[in-house]
Structures are given as structure tokens and as C-alpha cells.
Amino acid sequence: MLPRLRNAEASDAAAIAALMLPESSSQGGSLHGDFPQEKICHWLTQALADGMPVVLAEDAAGLLGVLFTSSSRHQDSPVAVQMARLHHAAGPFYFYGPVCLAARARGQGLLSAMWQQLQQQLPGQQAVLFIHADNQASLKAHTRLGMVVETPFDLDGQPCVLLSSR
């Protein structure tokens, strides 16, 4: 039985930040390693204010995973600017990720369940994801979801890959 899936609220910020601490989680899609709690709270506030879903999975023991989205209007970071330049979507698109699963949630199909929930909430929009080129685990997981490699690119000397849901 799948855990409960729901959209995050502003009051969830502290629990989400704790889930994303390196000792308690498995992170995917990260370019810059561990996510500081302040950055997570900032992303959560931005996404919720913009009406973008942040999907949570939880069970009786607490959070199992979180899947962030952020609007293409968030052009305040070099990564967002470069992604918008590289991606030539035919229609509306949003930046997908980061994704974080608690260690106890691995192998339960949780990423797929959260992805499906998100696709239902943003029908007709393309998801765009960037990852390190050498992050094979994340690349495999997201190609299994149906995302395809759009283009490789370089960010601050690091080889990266841009994927989209087409």
C-alpha cells in the first residue's frame, strides 16, 4: 500500500529541510551536493507562492519523500537561466526537482508515484530536470519515468545533462 501523497504547505518547511539532511536521506538531481536548510525553505516558499506543487509522501512515522517543482519564472539563479536557454519547449514547462527520498523509502516505487501525482497536477506541461552527467542512478531513475536526454551542457566546469518529459 502506497503512503499518503499530498501537496506541501508552508508549515512543512522544517520537516522537509530535516528530510534532506545528508545523514537521513538519499538525494537525486543535485548539482551542488547537500542542500542547506535555508535553501530548502526558500525554494518551498517560492514554489508555494507561485502555485507550483511540492509533492510529499508520508506514512505514520513521518515524511518519506519530497519532490519539488519550480516555475520557469524563477530566473534568479545561473542554473535556471542556463536551463531556460538550453531547453526549447514546445509549450509550458517547469523545472522539476530536487527529489529526496528517506533511506527507508528506497525501492518502494515512491519516485514513480510522486511523479505520476505531479503529472496529474500539471497536465500538458513539460518537466525539465538537470543532473550531473556522472549521476547514473538519477539518470536511470528518470529515464525509467519517461524523461529523455535533451542536451549535455557544462556548468562551472562540471559536465551536466538536461532531461525533459517531452
Side-chain angles (χ1 to χ4, degrees):
M1 194 169 177
L2 284 173
R4 183 166 80 111
L5 298 177
R6 66 176 176 88
N7 277 9
E9 299 174 0
S11 58
D12 294 312
I16 292 170
L19 177 69
M20 298 190 83
L21 292 174
E23 64 269 16
S24 64
S25 65
S26 168
Q27 296 165 359
S30 167
L31 277 180
H32 301 294
D34 301 333
F35 296 105
Q37 289 196 20
E38 311 81 59
K39 184 178 277 189
I40 297 304
C41 293
H42 177 69
W43 283 342
L44 179 61
T45 302
Q46 275 192 322
L48 291 175
D50 204 36
M52 300 296 290
V54 176
V55 179
L56 297 183
E58 60 188 358
D59 62 10
L63 288 185
L64 291 171
V66 58
L67 186 160
F68 279 89
T69 59
S70 57
S71 169
S72 56
R73 287 182 289 178
H74 294 150
Q75 302 296 318
D76 58 347
S77 75
V79 172
V81 170
Q82 188 154 7
M83 285 171 63
R85 243 193 339 254
L86 288 167
H87 184 65
H88 306 291
F93 73 95
Y94 60 92
F95 299 144
Y96 159 86
V99 178
C100 180
L101 298 179
R104 63 193 174 93
R106 292 181 206 152
Q108 296 183 26
L110 201 52
L111 176 61
S112 179
M114 290 193 295
W115 167 259
Q116 289 173 22
Q117 177 91 352
L118 181 61
Q119 294 293 87
Q120 290 172 8
Q121 294 181 56
L122 297 171
Q125 295 192 44
Q126 291 184 24
V128 178
L129 168 71
F130 63 91
I131 60 172
H132 273 301
D134 62 357
N135 190 342
Q136 291 301 307
S138 185
L139 183 60
K140 286 179 186 174
H142 288 96
T143 53
R144 276 196 298 267
L145 294 178
M147 297 189 86
V148 296
V149 174
E150 290 278 345
T151 184
F153 68 101
D154 185 84
L155 181 69
D156 299 330
Q158 300 178 62
C160 303
V161 177
L162 184 70
L163 298 97
S164 87
S165 62
R166 290 239 184 225

